[in-house]
Amino acid sequence: MTLVVGHFDVVEDRPVTLGERQSPSTIWCQSGKRKSAARSLGQTPRMLEFFSERFGVPFRAALPQVVVSDFIFGGMENTTATTLYEHVMLDERAALDISSCDLVAHELAHQWFGDYVTCRDWSHAWLNEGFATFCEHLEREQSWARRIRLTASPATSRRT
Ligand SMILES: [Zn+2]
C-alpha cells in the first residue's frame, strides 16, 4: 500500500469499463498541474481496457495514480495506488517528442505480474519485470496500430 501526503489536484478521467463493471479513473497531481496530468496520463483508461481484454481477466479496479516529487523510482505499483515520479508530467512541447505511456503501461502490468500473480521469491523478480516490459511493447504495438488506423486516408487504406 501507499500513503502520500501533500496538496494535490484530482483529475477525474473517464470511467473505465472492466468486464461488466465501471471503475472511476483518477489522477492525483501537484496543485495547478491538472492539464499536464490529463495530457500525460490520459491514456490510462484505454490501456486498462486493452490489458483487461488481452489478459482475459479484467482489472479488479482502476487504481488511482499519484504523481509525487522527489520519488526514488519512476513508478511503483502499490496495491492501493500507483505512485509516479514528477517527470512523468509532460508540458505541451515535451509531449510532442516523448510519451509517458511506457511507464504507465509498465506499472499497470505490475498490478497483474507482481501484485496479483507473483513469483515465489525475489530470485525470480525478473519474471515480474519481464512481463511488465513485455506489456510496454504490447501497449506500444496497440497504440501505434490504432494511430495508423486513425490516420490512414481512404486512398491508402483502400485495396485496388
Ligand atoms: Zn517494474
Side-chain angles (χ1 to χ4, degrees), residues 127-157:
L127 280 168
N128 296 346
E129 294 306 325
F131 279 121
T133 302
F134 176 66
C135 288
E136 291 176 33
H137 294 278
L138 284 178
E139 197 292 314
R140 194 177 309 156
E141 177 185 60
Q142 194 267 350
S143 178
W144 278 104
R146 189 173 57 82
R147 287 184 202 165
I148 289 169
R149 282 193 304 273
L150 290 174
T151 58
S153 71
T156 57
S157 62

Side-chain angles (χ1 to χ4, degrees), residues 75 77 106-107 110 113 128-130 132-133 136:
E77 68 283 7
H106 186 101
E107 300 309 323
H110 273 316
F113 307 107
N128 296 346
E129 294 306 325
T133 302
E136 291 176 33

Side-chain angles (χ1 to χ4, degrees), residues 24-87:
S25 178
T26 56
I27 304 163
W28 294 64
C29 64
Q30 297 104 331
S31 295
K33 302 274 186 163
R34 294 171 60 91
K35 281 187 179 177
S36 179
R39 176 186 313 111
S40 306
L41 306 174
Q43 296 297 312
T44 304
R46 179 187 57 75
M47 288 188 213
L48 282 161
E49 291 165 352
F50 167 66
F51 285 138
S52 291
E53 182 181 323
R54 190 69 181 247
F55 299 156
V57 178
F59 281 74
R60 70 183 163 82
L63 298 178
Q65 296 177 103
V66 184
V67 181
V68 299
S69 297
D70 203 20
F71 190 50
I72 191 169
F73 302 111
M76 183 57 64
E77 68 283 7
N78 304 296
T79 55
T80 54
T82 295
T83 309
L84 299 168
Y85 70 168
E86 63 193 319
H87 305 295

